[in-house]
């Protein structure tokens, strides 16, 4: 978790996954990133999981995420 001005940022490289394969959830100042690549035969061939805790002064309603064209997931949250 990096502080930048009045926001916090979490960055993850998920370039090996397609956007529909990536799930981001938040709960009690925790952020969880999960991604799963499924082969044509239905087997899971790649997974990614990352969990982190946001600082206590994070505004939980301000958490948002964006996926860059290069496959970097950027999660941002405002500080209170």
């Amino acid at each position: 978790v990096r502080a930048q001005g009045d926001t916090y940022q979490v960055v993850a490289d998920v370039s090996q996954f397609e956007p529909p394969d990536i799930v981001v959830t938040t709960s009690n100042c925790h952020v969880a990133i999960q991604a799963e690549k499924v082969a044509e035969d239905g087997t899971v061939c790649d997974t990614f999981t990352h969990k982190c805790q946001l600082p206590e002064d994070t505004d939980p309603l301000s958490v948002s995420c964006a996926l860059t064209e290069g496959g970097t997931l950027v999660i941002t949250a405002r500080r209170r």
Side-chain angles (χ1 to χ4, degrees):
V1 177
R2 292 188 303 207
Q4 283 192 321
D6 64 344
T7 62
Y8 291 113
Q9 217 177 47
V10 177
V11 178
D13 178 6
V14 291
S15 58
Q16 65 271 30
F17 300 97
E18 295 296 319
D21 301 333
I22 304 165
V23 177
V24 178
T25 56
T26 60
S27 176
N28 297 329
C29 285
H30 285 83
V31 173
I33 304 165
Q34 294 180 312
E36 191 173 83
K37 187 184 290 186
V38 180
E40 288 184 19
D41 64 358
T43 59
V44 175
C45 58
D46 197 4
T47 62
F48 175 87
T49 302
H50 180 75
K51 296 179 181 179
C52 66
Q53 181 169 351
L54 296 172
E56 289 185 16
D57 65 340
T58 301
D59 176 2
L61 298 178
S62 72
V63 178
S64 65
C65 64
L67 186 61
T68 69
E69 285 188 27
T72 302
L73 182 66
V74 180
I75 301 169
T76 56
R78 283 194 315 271
R79 299 166 85 172
R80 286 188 229 186

